[in-house]
Structure formats: C-alpha cells, structure tokens
Amino acid sequence: MSDGLFAARGLACMRGDRTLFAGLSLELAEGQALHVRGPNGLGKTTLLRALCGLSRPARGEVRWRGELITDLADDFTAEVAYVGHLNGIQGDLTAGENLEVARRVFARRTTPPQVVSEALERVGLRAIADRPARYLSQGQKRRLALARLLVLRRPLWILDEPFTALDAASVVGLSALIGEHLAAGGLALIVSHQAFDIPGIEDFELARYSRTRK
Amino acid sequence: MKFIHKYGAPKRFYQLAGTFIPWFAGITAVLFVSGLYLGLYWAPPDYQQGDAYRIMFVHVPNAWMSMMAYVIMASFAATGYIWNIRLADILARVSAPLGASFTLTALVTGSLWGKPMWGTYWVWDARLTSELILFFLYVGYMALQASIDDARRAAHASAILAIVGVVNIPIIHYSVYWWHTLHQPASLTLTNQPKIYATMLIPLIVMSLAFMFFYLTMLCVRARSEILLRERHTDWVRKLVEGKP
Amino acid sequence: MTADVLTAMRSVFGRELLVFWRRSTEVMTALVFFVIVTTLFPLAIGPERHELMLVAPGVLWVAALLATTLSLNHLFASDYQDGSLEQLLMSPHPLSLLVLAKMAAHWVLTGLPLALLSPLLAVQMALPAKAIGTLVVSLLLGTPTLTLIGAVPAALTLGVRGGGVLVSLLVLPLYTPVLIFGAEAVAASAGQGFASVAHLSLLGAFLALALSFAPWASSAALRVSLD
C-alpha cells in the first residue's frame, strides 16, 4: 500500500438492516482532496460520518498515519475538522462567541486569540460579529460554520455540502480557501452536488460501491 | 473471538436453537409437573398459613427469575454493544418481555399471597416494592427499544440503559429493604420466612429449575422469530420461507 | 495536555452558563414548577399544620425530583438540534469530561437554586425549623446525583419519538434510592431526632458513585445517539 496519510479499507455501512455500500477503499495523501459524488440516498453523509469516527462502520477500517482511528480516539479527532449538515452554531451566542468557544474547546492551546477575528474577517462576518447567531441568514450561518475551519487549523477537512446556501462570491471564496489548505499540505474530503472549481481535486464515485437496490 | 462469530451468526443460531427447543421444552414440562406435584400435594401444609403458603412455589421462583433475567439481558446487551455482535442484541431484546412477565407474575402472586397474610392485596412489603421498581425498569427498557426505529441504535441505546440499570438494581434493592425495616420493623413479611423446611425447599428448587428452563425455551423460540424478522431480506430466509415443502 | 482539558472544561461550563443566562426563562420554569407543585399539596390535603408537617419531607423531595426531571431536556436537546453536540463529539478532549462540565453547569442552574429556594417552601409546608438545614443539605447532596443520573436517559432519548415523556419513564425508577434517603434524612431530623447524618452520608456516597459512573455512561450514550 502507498503512504496515504488517511486511508479507509473494506468499508461497509448500513442503514437500518440494509447495506448501503461495501468494500469501499480510499486513500488521501498530503495536499490531496476527494470530491465524493453520487445521487441522493447512496450514503454519502453516512460515509463521511464513518470516516471522521462519528459512527461505527459495519465492517472495514479507517486509518490515520497508519493507525486505526478507533485506537487513536481523541488523538485522531485532534486532526480532523468536520462541517456537517448542521452548522453547530449556538443561536444565543454571538458569531464571535461561537468561534471563541471553538477556539477554547477545540483548538490547540498554542492557537493565538486573534485567529477568531482573522477568521471572521476572512468569511466576511467581522462587521456582525456581535450579533446573536440566530439573527444571521442561512448563508451567513454556513460561513460562520466554515470559519471554524480557520480557527481549528486541522490537517484533515471533512465537509458535507459546504456550499449549501452560499452566494456565488462565497462559493469562490470557499474554493480558494480549500485550495490554500491543500497547497499547505492539508487533506480534504468534500461531498457536494454543487459545481466548484478547486485545482487538483479528484472525483470519487460512491455509486461504484453501492449495494442499494434500485 | 472467532468462535463467537461463527456461532454468533444469526443463521447458525437459528438452526442450533431449532434442535434445542424440543429438549428444553420437554425438560420444562417434566420439571413443572413434578414441581407442582411436590409443591401442591407432597409438601405438608404450613402450621401458620395452612395451604395459602403454597403460592410461594410460584412467587419466589418468579421473583428470582425477574432479577436473573435482568442481569442476563444486560449481559447480552453489553456483549452486543461492546463487540458489535448482532445475535447478542437480538437475545437481549427478546429477553426483556420475558423478564417483565416474570416480574409481573411475581407481583400478582405476591399480592394474592398478601390477601390471606395481611388481609389486603397490597402492602408496601420490601420485596413487592423492589419488584415493582424492577418492573418499571423493564418497561423503560422496552419503551426505549420500541421508540427507536434503527435496530442497531435501539440495541446499543438500550444496552447502555441496561448497564446503568444493573449498577442501580442492587442499590435500589438495598435502599428499599432498608427503607422497609425503618418503617415496619415488626410486621410479618414475605422476605423473612420464619423457617424454611426441607419439605418446602425441594419443591421450591424444582419449581425454580422449571421456570429457568421455561425461560431458556422461550428465549430460543422468541430469538428465532426475531432472527427471521431481521434477516427477512437475506437469501437464506427467503429460501426457508418459500422452499418449505 | 491536562491544562488544555481544564481550559476546555471551563469554557464549556462558561458557555452553558452564558447560554442559559440569555434564555433565563427556561431556568425559571423548573424553579416555578417546584414552587407550584409544593403549593398544590396544602390545597389538596388541607391547611392543618400537623398533617402538612408529616408529609412535608416527601412532598418537597418529590417536587424537587420532578422539577429536575423536567429540566433534563435542557441538558442536550438544543445542542443536538443545532449540531453543537456533533462538534463536541469531535473535540480532541475526553468527551466524558466535557459532559461533566455541562452537567456541572446544569446543576448550578437547576439543583443549586432549588436547594436555596427550599427553606421558603419548607416554611410553607410547616416543616420544623430544626429540619430546614437538613433539607438544604440533603438537596445540595442529592440534586447533583439527579443531574448526573438523569443525563444518561436524556442522552439516550435525543431525537427519539416522545423523548420528553420517555425521559421521565426511564429516569424516575433510577431516582428511587436518592428519594428514599433524601426524604428520610429530612424526616429524621424533623421527627424523633434520629441522627440524619447516616442518610446524608449515604447521599454523599451516591454522589461519589454517580460522579465516577455517569459521565462515562452519558458520553457513551451520546455517541450511540449520534451514531
């Protein structure tokens, strides 16, 4: 096997008592990104959740730097940033407070406090940082969730439909952000139905491993 | 580990249980007949309670089984949760209603026994009270199982509940006994039989074994039907259902 | 690393307090419930002081227990809905410790005010003055255990049909030992002057046991619910 930093082998996931996909293998090296594609209901979200350790796959293994993520446990989650369908934003806290909590609870101790304002600046929410998050629009909330990526500074990004609710300019901005992340040696797994342009990203067709009957 | 996975395959268990069921059922029948004979006919009447005490031969085994079934259920559930073994999940799930019915039987027979002893159907006797709380625990376990659709999540969630329950049962049990002694120090209770004679002990043991084998038989029967239900999409079940001559 | 965990726990604790401060109505409902339920009893039983005094320990403890059960939904439900809980599972720290911080905040916002408010209701229920101290201490020792144990069913029923009622069904049988010894401690010091120290130390033992077991169990429960 090659020296993929992040690798899954023989992965199978179930929903209820039906198998969604089986025998799935993938590998990611530094600076590499995969765009997971496929029609609805194949289990793309299930795959991402299994890859970041949120759910246990029915069979197969996921490895980070050659070790099983179930053995690494917290040492693995310290390397991953996951943005799911839900934004993970507490509506009663302001945009700034949300990121501040993320910095204190999730980021490394060495992360300087100014990353929060820098991240807000980057996603264009600096001006409304003091507003309770529940007053933000859908697109703004999504941008706030993505700003967490900049605060956490993790090598592996796992993004589930990150472009949802974003306007054209923000889509370009996020693509550029992911591009920079890859250029700096980061890894990314992206599920998206939307078209986007990131140089060097490879397609990954989930349908190849699908076990769902039509 | 390999052994568990081989015999832990639901299909293999389905066949294995099928061969065991007639034996278990036979032993159960023999034990029940002899236990009832010994308990209702052979054992002499009690000098204080007359014939009324004979309900003990049903009440006490059921009270024992209700506790034991919870521990067994929790062990299956924990096995299923920790090692991700589906057969253990299935056994835990089908074990719950059995345990609950032992508990209910213990409660009903206990209150029937209470009528001649105390002159009323319900007294806050220590054993009855702790059986009642155990019954609530069973109901909670089954309610949680029933309200989660995904089989694996239902199994694992209720496994955690069962483990918490097992840790709590001794605490609840001793709290209730302690509470009882504090409030009714001198009354006659189901808990402290004045003296158990050999003539009472033998039927009691036979009846306990009978209920134990009844539990085993029912566990196998219920597990088999649960396996068929869960594996209905697989080829072997389809063959079994269609191909039967 | 340990310093990191402490910072994270403190931040989670602070975040909870801040969020609940901004939605103070939710905290208040549990307290108001406690007050109203205890007020209902004199109305149902009659205002005779001796009768009230006899049932006061039980009534106050049952009301505290129900109020805590009612507030268990605040522990995880909103974090589950907005996805914060999912993120918490992806934190680089032991989940059980972060959950412990959440429980601590929950207790500070429900159990603690409940215990502090209880002397007022004790007077209302004609509880002798010498038992009021025991009541407060028993609630201070007992309510954290209620929060700790209650967190497990609260985590298990996330996103489940009829979750709110189901939580009470699952949790109330588990609460019986705390109820027995809590009410007994108060009754003991109200009545014949039996030492209530034994009961209180048992409540302390339950708290220690729950502290060692509940954070682990509820973080396992959260992982199952979000699987």
Side-chain angles (χ1 to χ4, degrees):
Chain A
M1 284 286 162
S2 76
D3 55 345
L5 207 52
F6 183 62
R9 236 161 258 136
L11 215 58
C13 285
M14 298 177 70
R15 183 182 297 145
D17 42 13
R18 284 175 183 276
T19 306
L20 286 169
F21 52 81
L24 181 149
S25 296
L26 58 80
E27 219 162 277
L28 273 181
E30 273 186 18
Q32 219 183 348
L34 285 182
H35 179 190
V36 181
R37 302 162 61 103
N40 292 335
L42 279 192
K44 295 187 293 296
T45 297
T46 312
L47 172 64
L48 289 197
R49 292 176 66 89
L51 288 176
C52 65
L54 275 174
S55 66
R56 280 201 277 184
R59 275 188 303 282
E61 54 177 43
V62 184
R63 285 176 186 270
W64 174 255
R65 295 186 201 279
E67 291 185 64
L68 290 175
I69 62 165
T70 42
D71 293 342
L72 289 170
D74 295 338
D75 292 333
F76 171 66
T77 46
E79 310 274 354
V80 196
Y82 171 69
V83 176
H85 277 282
L86 299 167
N87 289 320
I89 291 166
Q90 165 52 249
D92 290 299
L93 300 178
T94 66
E97 283 165 347
N98 265 296
L99 285 188
E100 186 59 29
V101 168
R103 183 182 77 83
R104 292 196 186 175
V105 179
F106 301 101
R108 279 171 221 286
R109 196 167 17 153
T110 48
T111 314
Q114 65 265 26
V115 290
V116 170
S117 50
E118 285 167 12
L120 285 168
E121 184 76 52
R122 178 76 198 249
V123 297
L125 293 176
R126 183 95 188 250
I128 48 174
D130 294 332
R131 203 176 289 179
R134 82 187 111 121
Y135 296 129
L136 301 184
S137 75
Q138 282 304 322
Q140 286 171 328
K141 280 183 189 159
R142 201 64 185 155
R143 270 146 64 192
L144 185 57
L146 293 161
R148 204 166 41 226
L149 295 171
L150 293 164
V151 174
L152 298 191
R153 301 179 163 183
R154 302 273 169 80
L156 174 60
W157 287 7
I158 296 183
L159 311 177
D160 198 351
E161 298 285 358
F163 299 99
T164 327
L166 294 187
D167 55 23
S170 306
V171 170
V172 174
L174 175 59
S175 307
L177 191 68
I178 297 170
E180 286 168 31
H181 174 64
L182 298 177
L187 296 74
L189 269 161
I190 302 164
V191 162
S192 179
H193 286 293
Q194 220 158 324
F196 58 94
D197 182 35
I198 297 168
I201 191 163
E202 292 160 41
D203 280 351
F204 183 89
E205 295 291 344
L206 185 57
R208 272 194 289 157
Y209 305 99
S210 174
R211 291 293 164 88
T212 49
R213 295 210 177 90
K214 293 283 139 41
Chain B
M1 221 41 224
K2 218 169 184 176
F3 173 82
I4 297 178
H5 278 289
K6 191 177 169 201
Y7 291 95
K11 182 187 173 187
R12 185 85 187 83
F13 180 84
Y14 180 85
Q15 294 159 343
L16 208 65
T19 48
F20 276 132
I21 284 174
W23 291 96
F24 285 159
I27 296 172
T28 309
V30 170
L31 284 170
F32 263 127
V33 169
S34 45
L36 287 174
Y37 168 79
L38 291 171
L40 298 183
Y41 191 77
W42 178 74
D46 187 74
Y47 75 99
Q48 263 184 330
Q49 297 180 41
D51 282 330
Y53 87 99
R54 291 182 198 274
I55 200 166
M56 173 181 97
F57 298 128
V58 178
H59 171 76
V60 174
N62 271 285
W64 285 346
M65 285 307 294
S66 65
M67 299 261 179
M68 205 171 94
Y70 198 96
V71 175
I72 293 174
M73 177 184 87
S75 320
F76 279 137
T79 313
Y81 170 63
I82 296 167
W83 289 292
N84 219 351
I85 297 170
R86 284 173 59 225
L87 178 61
D89 292 345
I90 291 171
L91 288 171
R93 188 191 176 101
V94 300
S95 191
L98 293 174
S101 37
F102 285 129
T103 319
L104 194 63
T105 314
L107 279 171
V108 171
T109 51
S111 69
L112 287 179
W113 192 6
K115 182 68 179 168
M117 270 179 81
W118 304 306
T120 168
Y121 285 112
W122 186 262
V123 164
W124 290 94
D125 169 74
R127 189 194 289 147
L128 287 182
T129 311
S130 105
E131 284 292 321
L132 186 62
I133 294 169
L134 183 64
F135 185 65
F136 293 150
L137 286 177
Y138 272 118
V139 170
Y141 180 91
M142 291 188 290
L144 185 64
Q145 282 262 10
S147 53
I148 302 175
D149 292 322
D150 182 88
R152 194 169 71 144
R153 189 188 155 185
H156 292 178
S158 50
I160 291 172
L161 186 71
I163 294 169
V164 172
V166 155
V167 173
N168 262 281
I169 281 177
I171 300 175
I172 294 173
H173 192 74
Y174 286 109
S175 303
V176 168
Y177 273 67
W178 184 88
W179 160 82
H180 184 256
T181 49
L182 202 76
H183 286 273
Q184 286 165 302
S187 73
L188 188 63
T189 70
L190 299 187
T191 334
N192 312 317
Q193 280 305 307
K195 209 171 200 178
I196 291 193
Y197 299 100
T199 47
M200 290 182 187
L201 199 61
I202 291 167
L204 194 60
I205 289 171
V206 176
M207 284 302 279
S208 299
L209 285 173
F211 276 107
M212 222 174 277
F213 272 93
F214 174 70
Y215 171 73
L216 268 179
T217 317
M218 289 313 288
L219 192 69
C220 290
V221 171
R222 291 181 51 89
R224 266 165 66 98
S225 51
E226 182 74 20
I227 287 171
L228 286 187
L229 187 69
R230 292 212 190 172
E231 305 264 292
R232 61 188 180 279
H233 304 300
T234 61
D235 293 333
W236 74 270
V237 173
R238 223 171 261 138
K239 241 178 253 164
L240 191 80
V241 173
E242 290 162 4
K244 234 171 199 170
Chain C
M1 186 64 202
T2 41
D4 257 358
V5 175
L6 288 180
T7 317
M9 285 174 74
R10 217 172 330 166
S11 313
V12 169
F13 184 75
R15 169 193 184 269
E16 297 292 299
L17 291 191
L18 192 60
V19 168
F20 280 108
W21 179 251
R22 293 198 180 147
R23 313 186 198 151
S24 42
T25 46
E26 279 188 30
V27 181
M28 291 306 291
T29 39
L31 274 181
V32 173
F33 179 85
F34 181 51
V35 174
I36 291 180
V37 166
T38 31
T39 311
L40 289 179
F41 278 90
L43 294 177
I45 299 170
E48 219 275 296
R49 284 185 65 81
H50 182 69
E51 273 174 32
L52 284 181
M53 194 183 78
L54 280 179
V55 295
V59 167
L60 288 166
W61 254 97
V62 169
L65 198 114
L66 293 178
T68 311
T69 309
L70 200 70
S71 70
L72 286 176
N73 281 330
H74 305 180
L75 204 48
F76 301 117
S78 79
D79 282 354
Y80 175 74
Q81 271 159 8
D82 66 25
S84 309
L85 206 55
E86 205 171 64
Q87 293 297 330
L88 203 68
L89 260 65
M90 294 294 295
S91 91
H93 308 296
L95 181 61
S96 49
L97 292 178
L98 300 184
V99 169
L100 185 63
K102 276 179 85 73
M103 292 164 167
H106 182 263
W107 178 73
V108 167
L109 292 158
T110 56
L112 184 62
L114 215 121
L116 297 180
L117 194 72
S118 62
L120 235 90
L121 297 170
V123 172
Q124 202 184 22
M125 289 299 292
L127 196 72
K130 58 181 174 176
I132 289 181
T134 316
L135 175 69
V136 175
V137 175
S138 72
L139 283 173
L140 284 177
L141 281 171
T143 47
T145 316
L146 300 183
T147 298
L148 285 161
I149 299 176
V152 182
L156 288 175
T157 52
L158 286 172
V160 162
R161 269 179 268 126
V165 185
L166 193 57
V167 169
S168 343
L169 182 63
L170 302 186
V171 86
L172 290 175
L174 299 176
Y175 278 173
T176 42
V178 178
L179 175 70
I180 288 175
F181 290 103
E184 210 65 68
V186 181
S189 60
Q192 299 78 23
F194 277 134
S196 53
V197 182
H199 310 114
L200 291 178
S201 47
L202 269 166
L203 281 181
F206 290 156
L207 177 57
L209 191 69
L211 264 176
S212 63
F213 190 68
W216 171 82
S218 41
S219 62
L222 286 177
R223 289 200 191 279
V224 167
S225 287
L226 286 150
D227 190 337

